[in-house]
Every structure is written in structure tokens, then in C-alpha cells.
Amino acid sequence: MDLNSHTALSKAEIQHVQSITNTGELYYDYDPLIEKARNYAFYICRKFNQNPTEQKQLLVDLLGEVGQNVVINPGFITEFGFNTHIEDDVVIGDDLKMIDCNVVKISKHATIGNQVGIYTSNHALDPQKRADHWCSEKPITIANNVVIEDDVCILGGVTIGENTIVKQGSIVIHDLPANTIAQGVPCEVVQKL
């Protein structure tokens, strides 16, 4: 990664990266445009984190979608940005780490706590392909009115149903239904709402 090289991708370049990473198939992670996307996102996040209240426009320009009344606290980092879609009235705590090499959708009225990780990435199972930097990505969807408490990790391919609460420290490895409380490692439903 070269943080001295940080130019925005054109719309065509973004579409090219998405055509590689958003399929769910294995791809080579060191494609030059993937590296360019990563460098630009890290650069913008670093600028945003230095003064988030005055530079929200940076994230509006970086992310695929940012709705109304969105609060993102400092410490935010994302891999690409353009695959992330945040709807209205979302509050995100400190230090959100997001690998958004596939689509990450955070729906209306979601609350995300501190030190949460959202990771679409999967490394190749074959040791040689893994050593050669091949990986695949699965999307993540967080539905309306979901609460993700502090220190939660959400893995690729997961959908969290509306009104669900994911308790602190959980690791979400599979879908969670709507209207539930879930917790644990791995995260499981413990109560219906």
C-alpha cells in the first residue's frame, strides 16, 4: 500500500473493481485498481478521522450511499467505501473497521457500537491460492432498527433481520432472524422479541 498515491477512482474504474470483487468468486487481490481503491479509501478515512465533524463530505463522496442524519464517529476505516450503503438515521460508534470488498448495507435506524468489525472477506481455502493472494467476498446486510453492540464481529454472507439486537462481543457467522436478541461465539438467538 502506498498512502502517497491516493487518487479517486473513476466511475468506470469502480465498476471494474466491483465486477471482480462483488461476484463471490475467487479473485486476485493485488489487481492494480483494487490497490488504487484501497489506497484512496484509507487516505479519505484518515482525513475524516482527523476531524470528522467538519469533513463528513469526504465520506459522502467515498461511500456508495450516505443517508440523512448519519453519525460516524472517529476511528472509521473501510477497504473501498463505494460498496458501503448507509441509510437514514444510523449511528456508528468509535473505531468501526469494515472490509467492504462486497456490498455492505446498513439500513435505517441501525445503531452500531464501538470497536465493531464488518468483514466481507474470505481467503482461498487452497493454501497455494491463499499464498498467491486469492480471496472471495460475500455481502453483508444489516436491516432496519438493528442494534449491534460493542465489540461485535460480523462475517461475510450474513443478513441480520430487522429489530434484532446483537449483544456485545458476539461473532456473527450466519444469518439472524428479525425480532430477536442474539449473542455468543458463534452468535445464536437467545430470545424472541
Side-chain angles (χ1 to χ4, degrees):
M1 176 181 313
D2 179 6
L3 291 179
N4 293 318
S5 174
H6 46 73
T7 57
L9 277 70
S10 68
K11 187 172 185 176
E13 288 174 324
I14 289 171
Q15 290 172 341
H16 174 76
V17 171
Q18 289 173 323
S19 74
I20 295 170
T21 64
N22 291 16
T23 66
E25 302 297 321
L26 284 174
Y27 67 90
Y28 179 62
D29 194 39
Y30 284 13
D31 178 285
L33 282 180
I34 291 173
E35 190 71 10
K36 181 178 178 182
R38 191 176 287 127
N39 286 344
Y40 182 68
F42 288 168
Y43 170 75
I44 294 300
C45 287
R46 189 170 51 189
K47 284 185 72 174
F48 168 80
N49 289 323
Q50 289 170 353
N51 195 347
T53 57
E54 292 185 13
Q55 298 187 2
K56 277 219 171 129
Q57 188 61 44
L58 291 169
L59 291 183
V60 169
D61 294 341
L62 177 67
L63 302 181
E65 174 187 359
V66 179
Q68 298 296 313
N69 303 315
V70 171
V71 174
I72 302 175
N73 283 342
F76 173 71
I77 191 82
T78 187
E79 185 97 0
F80 290 166
F82 51 73
N83 276 333
T84 296
H85 303 271
I86 303 173
E87 295 184 351
D88 296 342
D89 303 309
V90 171
V91 176
I92 297 173
D94 295 342
D95 302 321
L96 174 65
K97 305 296 184 257
M98 196 161 46
I99 304 298
D100 68 336
C101 299
N102 202 321
V103 174
V104 173
K105 181 180 179 185
I106 303 172
S107 301
K108 293 179 181 177
H109 307 288
T111 300
I112 296 177
N114 300 311
Q115 289 85 44
V116 169
I118 298 175
Y119 306 115
T120 64
S121 59
N122 294 287
H123 293 93
L125 299 179
D126 176 86
Q128 187 56 56
K129 285 194 176 287
R130 192 167 54 247
D132 292 338
H133 308 290
W134 286 79
C135 57
S136 64
E137 313 292 333
K138 293 182 181 177
I140 294 171
T141 300
I142 298 169
N144 294 332
N145 302 309
V146 166
V147 174
I148 308 293
E149 293 186 352
D150 295 348
D151 301 308
V152 169
C153 180
I154 303 169
L155 303 187
V158 165
T159 295
I160 300 174
E162 65 181 18
N163 304 317
T164 288
I165 299 170
V166 180
K167 300 301 284 181
Q168 181 175 6
S170 295
I171 299 180
V172 185
I173 64 170
H174 55 76
D175 292 353
L176 296 174
N179 304 306
T180 59
I181 298 174
Q183 70 180 52
V185 180
C187 189
E188 301 291 348
V189 172
V190 296
Q191 182 180 338
K192 293 185 178 180
L193 296 174

